Amino acid sequence: EIVMTQSPATLSVSPGERATLSCRASQSVSSNLAWYQQKPGQAPRLLIYGASTRATGIPARFSGSGSGTEFTLTISSLQSEDFAVYYCQQYNNWSSITFGQGTRLEIK
Amino acid sequence: QVQLQESGPGLVKPSQTLSLTCTVSGGSISSGDYYWSWIRQPPGKGLEWIGYIYYSGSTYYNPSLKSRVTISVDTSKNQFSLKLSSVTAADTAVYYCARVSEMSGYYFDYWGQGTLVTVSS
């Protein structure tokens, strides 16, 4: 099983500032990495796939980077609606999908 | 626009079998371009992939749940279903159904709103 580790567990950032979230894989997943946003009481929403491709309708302030074992989700100029929990997911081993444990992005 | 909707009992007794159905609208399960998946989330915790199914019936399960999980598809009703046997309190979670694009990668692009299943006597 590929273990996905996200850091930090909680990130406190002020509105208008930049947030940088990290995701590390226990072995290479190439660029087969997705990011999701989840707000309380809602299903996760796909933000990024292929490590860096924004999903349909996702604002340009969300960007993803990385390959292999190290990945980053960057949110430039945080808006109030961006405060949520973010998960990464690897699908390089598509017969055994795994998620990170999540990063909670909170208002500073 | 594809929509997915979970349905099933919200309370299941320990040792019994949890059964849920996901109804897909706005697209056909039989289109062949997608896998159809179940994912769960215990209260206050992270996401766990359970498994997925192709319209033909081919399945892939999380190795940690494989001995207790069955996912099936009913193309005539545009539905797929989850059965999880011998449940315990650890299986209490919000259960989501979701779509996976086979062509561009095994990520989840459409989700149902989720249904809470509590395991308790």
Side-chain angles (χ1 to χ4, degrees):
Chain A
E1 174 181 297
I2 299 175
V3 177
M4 307 301 293
T5 303
Q6 293 185 241
S7 61
T10 302
L11 182 61
S12 299
V13 183
S14 299
E17 294 189 340
R18 174 189 297 258
T20 303
L21 290 68
S22 296
C23 176
R24 174 177 293 177
S26 61
Q27 63 190 77
S28 177
V29 298
S30 187
S31 295
N32 297 311
L33 191 285
W35 289 94
Y36 301 86
Q37 176 194 68
Q38 187 178 34
K39 297 179 180 179
Q42 296 185 16
R45 177 176 70 146
L46 176 68
L47 297 175
I48 301 284
Y49 62 90
S52 61
T53 303
R54 279 190 303 278
T56 302
I58 301 303
R61 64 180 182 273
F62 291 90
S63 63
S65 62
S67 65
T69 61
E70 300 284 343
F71 301 89
T72 300
L73 174 69
T74 301
I75 312 169
S76 63
S77 189
L78 278 162
Q79 308 295 303
S80 58
E81 62 266 29
D82 299 335
F83 293 94
V85 179
Y86 292 82
Y87 294 95
C88 61
Q89 174 231 328
Q90 69 79 22
Y91 51 94
N92 192 63
N93 183 359
W94 53 267
S95 63
S96 185
I97 299 290
T98 48
F99 291 89
Q101 81 281 16
T103 290
R104 181 177 304 277
L105 180 58
E106 63 177 28
I107 300 174
K108 187 174 182 180
Chain B
Q1 174 93 352
V2 173
Q3 293 186 314
L4 297 92
Q5 176 73 55
E6 305 88 351
S7 59
L11 181 64
V12 181
K13 289 181 167 49
S15 79
Q16 293 191 342
T17 296
L18 178 160
S19 296
L20 296 173
T21 295
C22 182
T23 301
V24 178
S25 58
S28 172
I29 276 186
S30 303
S31 70
D33 295 327
Y34 305 102
Y35 277 80
W36 304 92
S37 187
W38 290 97
I39 297 151
R40 69 179 183 178
Q41 185 173 37
K45 297 187 178 180
L47 300 164
E48 180 179 35
W49 173 69
I50 299 172
Y52 39 48
I53 190 165
Y54 196 52
Y55 79 99
S56 63
S58 297
T59 53
Y60 297 89
Y61 298 138
N62 185 322
S64 69
L65 298 170
K66 186 174 184 177
S67 64
R68 299 194 293 130
V69 173
T70 302
I71 298 176
S72 58
V73 64
D74 186 337
T75 55
S76 66
K77 295 181 179 179
N78 225 34
Q79 296 176 334
F80 62 105
S81 298
L82 168 70
K83 291 189 184 299
L84 182 65
S85 64
S86 305
V87 297
T88 69
D91 295 308
T92 293
V94 174
Y95 285 76
Y96 296 100
C97 57
R99 190 182 82 168
V100 175
S101 171
E102 182 196 17
M103 297 299 292
S104 56
Y106 291 78
Y107 51 84
F108 307 97
D109 58 357
Y110 285 93
W111 296 64
Q113 88 278 10
T115 187
L116 174 63
V117 179
T118 302
V119 179
S120 174
S121 56

